[in-house]
Amino acid sequence: MTDPLHGVRAFYDQHSATFLQHAGPTFQAGLLRRGGVEDAARSNLALAERAGVLPGHRVLDAGCGVAGPALDIAAALADVVVDGVTLSPVQAALAADRIAAAGLADRVRVQVADYHHLPFAAASFDCVLYLESAGYSTDPAALFAEARRVLRPGGRLYIKDVVRRPGRLSPQQQEELAAYDATWAVPGTPTVDTLQSALAASGFVEQESSELDVGSSHFIGSMFELGPDGFVLNAFGEGFFRRFVDLPILFAELRARAPG
């Protein structure tokens, strides 16, 4: 049987070390601005607050990368335990090194798993986070059904992601969106409506969604370095810097609650 996420796994196996070297341990294209400043740790903690993560919670970081957000959250919130899953064995190995270095192996754990088929018992978590990861799903309804399974009654689900702007796209927008998806190995950037419908089909209630005010200066800036003649693309930028004229995307958040 063909693995629909094989391309995503191969992509992150190949490129995660480069992302970590140049962009840091938070693999997100946009960071929440705080006081006009883009700081990954502050953004991750703000996202955790928006998600309803509290001291003592058990949190699932579904699509955890190299544990950048997981470590920030666990370090800042007392007794929070974060389980992360990633498709990429390379990411899991990098995450394990970072967790050990931070001295948080008792509260942050990362393993290789498909987030459509989680290796956790039912009703294990207080909160499930998808931080720029839900868009990689080839079956959002199945994805969120699995999240509902592992959430405790009343548990919270939080998505922060890149989504496609609503409405009909021009030919240029379609072309640019296809190029964006191909660059980042995204099966197809979803709309908010697509995600909301999948959440409803999976039984989630109290849905909320809104556009997020984020900055991408850190992300874009990490693709450049200062050379003898000015700024030039580094290894990250050479692989991923693209100029778009009318790319129809935005950053959005979705929040929902498991019934009970």
Side-chain angles (χ1 to χ4, degrees):
M1 180 181 296
T2 302
D3 178 359
L5 295 176
H6 171 77
V8 178
R9 179 183 297 106
F11 177 85
Y12 280 105
D13 278 349
Q14 180 179 355
H15 297 297
S16 288
T18 298
F19 296 165
L20 178 60
Q21 177 183 352
H22 295 285
T26 293
F27 291 5
Q28 296 176 38
L31 301 177
L32 291 181
R33 299 186 184 96
R34 287 295 178 266
V37 175
E38 293 179 25
D39 177 81
R42 291 173 65 183
S43 177
N44 289 331
L45 294 180
L47 292 171
E49 181 180 1
R50 297 174 77 87
V53 177
L54 298 174
H57 273 180
R58 186 180 181 194
V59 178
L60 172 62
D61 186 353
C64 64
V66 297
L71 286 170
D72 288 339
I73 293 166
L77 296 178
D79 300 321
V80 164
V81 174
V82 185
D83 285 281
V85 295
T86 172
L87 284 171
S88 166
V90 171
Q91 285 191 340
L94 291 169
D97 290 343
R98 300 190 66 256
I99 292 165
L104 285 170
D106 59 331
R107 293 201 292 120
V108 180
R109 304 177 288 252
V110 170
Q111 61 184 296
V112 178
D114 180 345
Y115 59 8
H116 298 88
H117 307 285
L118 294 166
F120 304 111
S124 295
F125 294 95
D126 299 288
C127 187
V128 175
L129 305 177
Y130 300 93
L131 303 180
E132 295 195 26
S133 62
Y136 282 104
S137 174
T138 54
D139 189 347
L143 177 71
F144 299 143
E146 186 69 343
R148 181 184 170 187
R149 181 185 71 81
V150 301
L151 274 170
R152 294 173 180 141
R156 298 288 177 175
L157 178 146
Y158 182 82
I159 301 167
K160 176 253 187 176
D161 219 326
V162 177
V163 297
R164 197 190 86 192
R165 290 188 180 276
R168 187 172 182 176
L169 302 184
S170 70
Q172 178 170 321
Q173 289 175 324
Q174 293 178 39
E175 182 178 339
E176 293 194 5
L177 186 61
Y180 170 86
D181 288 345
T183 298
W184 297 103
V186 178
T189 298
T191 63
V192 167
D193 285 348
T194 297
L195 297 173
Q196 288 178 321
S197 295
L199 286 167
S202 303
F204 281 92
V205 297
E206 296 181 13
Q207 285 196 47
E208 302 175 55
S209 67
S210 60
E211 186 172 347
L212 278 175
D213 179 22
V214 304
S216 292
S217 296
H218 168 76
F219 180 69
I220 299 300
S222 67
M223 297 183 181
F224 293 84
E225 60 187 39
L226 186 60
D229 300 315
F231 284 97
V232 296
L233 291 171
N234 56 30
F236 180 28
E238 287 175 354
F240 295 98
F241 181 73
R242 302 288 185 272
R243 296 185 186 275
F244 294 106
V245 176
D246 193 14
L247 181 62
I249 62 171
L250 55 85
F251 288 89
E253 68 176 357
L254 293 90
R255 288 179 276 199
R257 183 177 62 82

